[in-house]
Amino acid sequence: MKTIIQLSDHFTYKKLFRFCLPPIIMMIFTSIYGVVDGLFVSNFVGKVPFAAINLIYPFVMILGGVGFMIGTGGSAWVAKTLGEGDAENACRYFTMMIKLTTILGIVLSVFGIALLRPISCLLGATKAMVDDCVMYGRIVLGFNTAFMLQNVFQTFLTTAEKPKLGLAATVAAGITNMTLDALFIAVFKWGVAGAALATGISQCVGGILPLIYFLRPNGSLLRLVKTKMEGSVLVKACVNGSSELMSNIAASLVSVLYNLQLLRLEGENGVAAYGTLMYIQFIFIAVFIGYTIGTAPVISYHYGAQNHDELKSLLRKSLILMGAAGVIMMILANVLAGPLASIFVGYDAKLFEMTKHAFRLFSFSFLLAGINIFASAFFTALNNGGISAAISFLRTLVFQVLSVLILPIFFQLDGIWWAITVAELLACFITMTFLIAKRKKYHY
């Protein structure tokens, strides 16, 4: 019988693999069922509604990304507190994070729904796209609180030493989404509204099931308790997790810029091709994100416990694993470019060729993406939100904006597909600079 892995353990490669596998599978599954919306809409409704979803999706993700901020920043604070041996305060801080998520979820939902039509027009929606943008966005944002809770619990379940429970909740949500997509879109012919409803209902499954678990007596490190809200704790957690929110906002803003550039160069075909790339990228990047979800609470715990040798070991092993995974991802992306593009846009020969070519150029970004993503999460886990935010801000916004504006001047459409690889390369220099500069402070 396998022993339960605890945050306080020494992590070998084997133990890292076992502990991180559930959140990795969880994130891959989350990405796959997120892709299903686009797959059904593209094949059963058409490429214009597909482009409409891709156009408004960045705005939806900015609002939902607040959940990632609270989850990553809050779990780092809670895991550090556990490492210091203060389980009572850890549960209090955890409860505060869940309350804050619920309150902000409701406020942001109302705000987002009210502004959807002007936001859609601002993002460049054509007359053919705007109604679908508004319909999809309003329905999905109606479930935004559940989505934010799902994002928060994905991290906290690992901190609670229950990564398999997080995987189970995600699988349940994924099965719900895929089943309802098939029913609402392919059978009932509800189109974009069906895709949005399927997503929203599945987010309720992913957000509410863990909430019920923590509300009841349980055998994990965390539980929901009666406590007052403490502004200083919430601010520290949010500032620390700001890199994740920054990453979400930046990625969404950059997506808007990509879409505007592609509308100018290739029209709706360009937006549809980019949307396909983003859906496929979610699956590949999910491996890196899942790994950081698994390792972040371990790093925070050992930082709180001042186990410097374990910190050094975790960093070294993680950089090796992320580098190796990046090479494998790049090779897989090149080999699978054609089949994956065919699944989404195989019905349109011109769009298929554009998407396949784009993904082969895009694939080189995976070589360094894992290292950059891990480094940002590493500093969040050390409760250094400033450096984490700097890496995320430069990687996902500054370098990508510069690349997507400058490269098309020289390489036209190919410049857009190369932009993310150039941004990852520049970000890697920043990542290594910070890791070297702070090695003595954190003793890794």
Side-chain angles (χ1 to χ4, degrees):
M1 184 177 177
K2 292 181 178 178
T3 56
I4 296 173
I5 300 174
Q6 298 179 322
L7 297 181
S8 56
D9 289 352
H10 166 65
F11 279 76
T12 61
Y13 279 107
K14 181 179 179 181
K15 194 168 284 189
L16 265 177
F17 178 77
R18 280 180 54 203
F19 194 72
C20 293
L21 186 60
I24 288 173
I25 296 174
M26 176 181 73
M27 288 310 301
I28 291 174
F29 207 85
T30 299
S31 301
I32 290 173
Y33 85 70
V35 164
V36 170
D37 273 1
L39 188 62
F40 272 95
V41 170
S42 181
N43 285 279
F44 288 91
V45 188
K47 67 182 181 182
V48 174
F50 178 53
I53 288 178
N54 293 322
L55 200 69
I56 199 60
Y57 195 70
F59 176 65
V60 174
M61 285 303 296
I62 287 175
L63 301 186
V66 174
F68 286 111
M69 175 187 72
I70 298 170
T72 53
S75 64
W77 189 262
V78 169
K80 177 177 176 289
T81 306
L82 287 170
E84 293 167 347
D86 191 354
E88 183 180 345
N89 270 327
C91 289
R92 288 181 57 248
Y93 299 154
F94 167 60
T95 304
M96 292 177 203
M97 303 305 159
I98 303 307
K99 286 184 177 180
L100 179 64
T101 303
T102 305
I103 294 167
L104 288 179
I106 295 169
V107 172
L108 291 172
S109 296
V110 174
F111 167 79
I113 290 170
L115 293 179
L116 263 171
R117 187 167 291 275
I119 290 292
S120 298
C121 295
L122 185 65
L123 295 179
T126 62
K127 288 184 179 179
M129 296 163 64
V130 69
D131 287 339
D132 284 333
C133 288
V134 173
M135 181 182 293
Y136 182 85
R138 283 180 175 167
I139 294 172
V140 170
L141 286 176
F143 297 92
N144 187 54
T145 303
F147 179 47
M148 286 173 59
L149 284 171
Q150 182 179 12
N151 293 336
V152 168
F153 284 128
Q154 281 178 344
T155 306
F156 271 116
L157 281 165
T158 304
T159 306
E161 295 180 348
K162 295 291 180 181
K164 291 181 180 178
L165 184 59
L167 173 59
T170 301
V171 169
I175 292 172
T176 301
N177 189 62
M178 290 184 279
T179 303
L180 294 181
D181 266 330
L183 185 65
F184 293 167
I185 300 174
V187 179
F188 293 168
K189 309 294 183 185
W190 288 353
V192 168
L197 275 172
T199 296
I201 293 170
S202 71
Q203 288 167 352
C204 287
V205 174
I208 293 174
L209 285 181
L211 179 62
I212 293 171
Y213 173 79
F214 284 115
L215 280 170
R216 297 165 57 86
N218 64 77
S220 78
L221 295 179
L222 299 175
R223 66 188 185 281
L224 292 170
V225 297
K226 289 184 178 180
T227 185
K228 294 180 180 179
M229 303 287 271
E230 295 179 22
S232 61
V233 172
L234 296 174
V235 169
K236 287 177 183 177
C238 290
V239 168
N240 188 42
S242 62
S243 62
E244 303 306 316
L245 179 61
M246 177 66 66
S247 203
N248 263 278
I249 292 175
S252 298
L253 292 175
V254 168
S255 292
V256 171
L257 182 58
Y258 270 90
N259 286 329
L260 290 173
Q261 285 280 64
L262 287 163
L263 278 170
R264 180 178 62 84
L265 292 170
E266 288 291 334
E268 289 165 353
N269 267 1
V271 176
Y274 178 67
T276 301
L277 257 64
M278 289 299 97
Y279 280 123
I280 298 171
Q281 185 208 30
F282 289 159
I283 299 173
F284 282 76
I285 292 294
V287 174
F288 302 136
I289 297 174
Y291 182 82
T292 65
I293 289 174
T295 54
V298 180
I299 292 165
S300 296
Y301 183 96
H302 287 288
Y303 171 58
Q306 298 186 21
N307 295 332
H308 301 144
D309 288 342
E310 189 63 21
L311 271 183
K312 187 182 296 185
S313 172
L314 285 165
L315 176 61
R316 185 185 71 252
K317 289 182 174 72
S318 296
L319 291 177
I320 291 171
L321 289 171
M322 291 297 92
V327 173
I328 294 170
M329 298 274 185
M330 186 269 290
I331 294 170
L332 279 175
N334 268 279
V335 172
L336 297 176
L340 289 172
S342 180
I343 292 172
F344 282 89
V345 293
Y347 55 82
D348 187 312
K350 181 182 177 182
L351 185 53
F352 166 74
E353 288 299 329
M354 180 194 299
T355 305
K356 181 176 72 173
H357 173 70
F359 194 52
R360 283 182 173 156
L361 298 184
F362 198 88
S363 68
F364 292 98
S365 65
F366 297 131
L367 286 170
L368 298 173
I371 292 173
N372 292 327
I373 289 169
F374 171 77
S376 178
F378 180 71
F379 282 108
T380 297
L382 295 175
N383 285 269
N384 191 327
I387 290 180
S388 180
I391 293 173
S392 291
F393 179 73
L394 291 169
R395 171 182 169 262
T396 56
L397 185 63
V398 176
F399 294 148
Q400 281 208 59
V401 166
L402 291 174
S403 298
V404 83
L405 287 176
I406 295 171
L407 293 180
I409 296 173
F410 303 99
F411 304 106
Q412 296 300 311
L413 187 59
D414 279 358
I416 292 180
W417 309 135
W418 277 114
I420 190 168
T421 300
V422 172
E424 294 288 4
L425 180 62
L426 294 172
C428 194
F429 286 114
I430 300 298
T431 291
M432 291 304 162
T433 300
F434 278 127
L435 284 172
I436 292 169
K438 295 298 178 180
R439 68 190 186 280
K440 291 183 179 179
K441 178 179 179 180
Y442 294 107
H443 306 286
Y444 53 68

